[in-house]
Amino acid sequence: AVAPHRSPLIQAAAAMLGEYLTALLVAVLGYIYPVYLCFKALEHHKRKPEALRGWCIYWLVVALYTVGVQLSDRFIFWMPMYCEAKVGFVVYLWHPRTQGALYIYETFVSPFLAKYEPDIDRHIDETRTQVGDVALRHSQTAVNFVREKFAAMLSALPQAVPQQQGAAQSGYVPRNATEAAAMAYTSPRPRSD
C-alpha cells in the first residue's frame, strides 16, 4: 500500500504543532512542575538544606540545558525525534527514579567547574574590572558632554539685561545670564493700554 501524499501545508502545520507542543511540554515539565516541587521543598524542608541541594543542582543543569538548546535548535532541529528527546530529557533531569540532573552534575558539571574554577573566577574578575573601567570612562565622557552643552546653552543667553522697571525699583543688577533670564521672566510687564 502506498502512503497518501501530504500537502506541504499540512506537513508545515504538523511541524509547527510539534514545535509548539514541544515548547509547551518543556515549559510545563521542565520549568513549571519543577518550580512547584522546588516550592514544596523550600516550604516543607526549611530546616534541611540537603533537601534543597537537589533543586539547586536541578536548576544549574536546566540553565546549562537551556543554553545548549539555544545552540542545538539552530543546527540539529531537523533530526528525527529531536523534539521528543527534549521533552524526555527534561523529565529525565527531575524524575526521582532517574535523578538525571544529579548524575549530570556529579559526572560532568562539578568536575569541570572544580577543575577550572580559579580560571573562571579570574576571568570574571577581569571582565568585571574591564566593564567597570569602560562604564566609568563613558559616564565621565557623558558628564563632560552634558556640562559642555549646558555651559554653551547658558553662554548663549543674554549676558546683560537692560535696567528693567523691577530692577530700577529694587536697584538689583543681575550678576550672570541665569539671573538675568530669571529677572526677565519674573518682573512685572508694563501694561499696554
Side-chain angles (χ1 to χ4, degrees):
V2 177
H5 177 66
R6 288 175 132 181
S7 75
L9 183 60
I10 291 175
Q11 289 175 346
M16 286 177 58
L17 180 61
E19 290 176 21
Y20 290 129
L21 184 59
T22 298
L24 177 66
L25 288 173
V26 166
V28 170
L29 297 174
Y31 295 93
I32 296 171
Y33 183 63
V35 162
Y36 179 69
L37 293 178
C38 188
F39 161 76
K40 287 179 68 166
L42 284 169
E43 293 303 313
H44 298 292
H45 302 291
K46 291 182 179 182
R47 301 238 186 252
K48 296 180 185 174
E50 66 276 358
L52 302 178
R53 182 177 185 270
W55 287 111
C56 289
I57 289 172
Y58 173 79
W59 290 115
L60 189 145
V61 173
V62 165
L64 295 173
Y65 159 80
T66 303
V67 171
V69 164
Q70 294 296 319
L71 299 172
S72 67
D73 278 354
R74 311 248 187 287
F75 299 109
I76 60 173
F77 63 91
W78 50 268
M79 289 180 66
M81 303 292 288
Y82 174 68
C83 292
E84 291 81 359
K86 290 188 333 185
V87 173
F89 185 72
V90 296
V91 171
Y92 161 78
L93 290 177
W94 62 259
H95 200 277
R97 286 193 180 172
T98 58
Q99 294 187 347
L102 182 62
Y103 172 77
I104 289 172
Y105 177 78
E106 290 177 348
T107 306
F108 302 106
V109 178
S110 180
F112 177 83
L113 291 177
K115 181 179 179 181
Y116 294 105
E117 185 177 8
D119 295 332
I120 293 169
D121 287 341
R122 183 174 40 79
H123 286 303
I124 289 172
D125 289 342
E126 288 172 1
T127 302
R128 194 177 289 153
T129 300
Q130 290 172 354
V131 167
D133 292 346
V134 168
L136 180 63
R137 188 170 51 248
H138 286 301
S139 65
Q140 288 172 342
T141 302
V143 166
N144 290 337
F145 175 79
V146 169
R147 273 190 194 141
E148 289 173 12
K149 294 302 177 185
F150 190 70
M153 182 180 72
L154 285 179
S155 68
L157 291 174
Q159 294 299 319
V161 176
Q163 284 289 70
Q164 297 175 353
Q165 185 179 5
Q169 290 174 354
S170 68
Y172 180 78
V173 177
R175 293 177 292 184
N176 56 37
T178 305
E179 289 180 1
M183 283 184 65
Y185 290 105
T186 58
S187 62
R189 304 235 179 233
R191 288 188 176 192
S192 56
D193 293 329

